[in-house]
Amino acid sequence: MIQLYHVTMRYPSGIEALREVNLRLHEGEFVFVAGRSGAGKTTLMKLMGAELTPTSGQILVAGRNLGVLKRSQVPYFRRGLGAVWQDFRLLPDRTVTENVAMPLEVLGLSRRKIALRVGQVLELVGMEQYADAQALWLSGGEQQRVAIARALVNEPSIILADEPTGNLDPDLSYEIIQMLRDVQSRGTTVVIATHDTALLELFNERVVLLNKGFVIEDEGGEPAVLAPEPEVTP
Ligand SMILES: Nc1ncnc2c1ncn2[C@@H]1O[C@H](COP(=O)(O)OP(=O)(O)O)[C@@H](O)[C@H]1O
Ligand SMILES: [Mg+2]
């Protein structure tokens, strides 16, 4: 579960990227965060990933109160999240397998366990036949599938995808979102930020619409519940 209570994010420049945002996402839910460029989508994703600290308000992610998360706890917290970006962020000179294995290597798992798990997720995204290919030579759609495999390899409870289809043409965009739908159907919470309204129409899913930092619509969501200060330990 992800919850935001009265979250405001003001950058040092004075710009208020989010204003009094209240939001509740259930475990295993699939949600689009929509809005024009500049609406605050990326800021919201970064707050949920503990990459930014809000100016005011409270954020709970998977039972953790991010406001009291110590800096030293952030890497551990992030292991429970998988991130997917618009520009894929693969290491171009490494193979598909090496890219996907990376989050597991920092955990110090055995070679055999890593190979097994990497094989599983590559199969899941239909990229097993590219296991030894260098990431540099893959098409955009293929790179994003590998990036999704990398995001999944840790078995995160939440996937945060910021404009994952921003560099892809419409057919591939559909395919990538469908793939993330499949991920969600196996129990993972999936949050996708997109400015692509055509995509929203293709998928009949909950849409949290941002405009100038405000949530102006939350179709399919419960009304934002303003809970009392939650007592959650980090
Ligand atoms: N690091 C930053 N410093 C100052 N202003 C920022 C920063 N990042 C984003 N902004 C501003 O915050 C607003 C929301 O940006 P962003 O969250 O990136 O929106 P979106 O992802 O919807 O395009 C914009 O006005 C943007 O210029
Ligand atoms: Mg953005």
Side-chain angles (χ1 to χ4, degrees), residues 4 7 9 16-23 31-48 162-163 191-195 197 200 206-219:
L4 282 83
V7 169
M9 179 69 206
E16 282 200 343
L18 290 178
R19 308 179 206 216
E20 285 287 320
V21 168
N22 295 300
L23 203 57
V31 182
F32 284 113
V33 173
R36 293 186 189 148
S37 172
K41 304 180 295 296
T42 294
T43 301
L44 179 58
M45 301 298 268
K46 285 183 173 169
L47 286 167
M48 293 191 288
D162 193 0
E163 304 274 5
V191 187
I192 301 176
T194 182
H195 70 277
T197 48
L200 303 177
R206 177 174 171 191
V207 177
V208 174
L209 183 60
L210 289 174
N211 185 34
K212 297 180 178 155
F214 291 104
V215 173
I216 57 164
E217 228 178 274
D218 188 357
E219 210 179 301

Side-chain angles (χ1 to χ4, degrees), residues 140-163:
E142 289 162 353
Q143 287 189 57
Q144 197 57 303
R145 286 201 267 165
V146 173
I148 290 172
R150 182 185 53 191
L152 289 174
V153 81
N154 255 346
E155 301 184 66
S157 60
I158 299 168
I159 294 274
L160 300 175
D162 193 0
E163 304 274 5

Side-chain angles (χ1 to χ4, degrees), residues 97 100 113-124 128 153:
T97 294
V100 175
K113 277 203 180 127
I114 292 177
L116 192 69
R117 181 67 191 146
V118 170
Q120 282 170 347
V121 285
L122 285 181
E123 205 166 308
L124 216 57
E128 66 274 26
V153 81

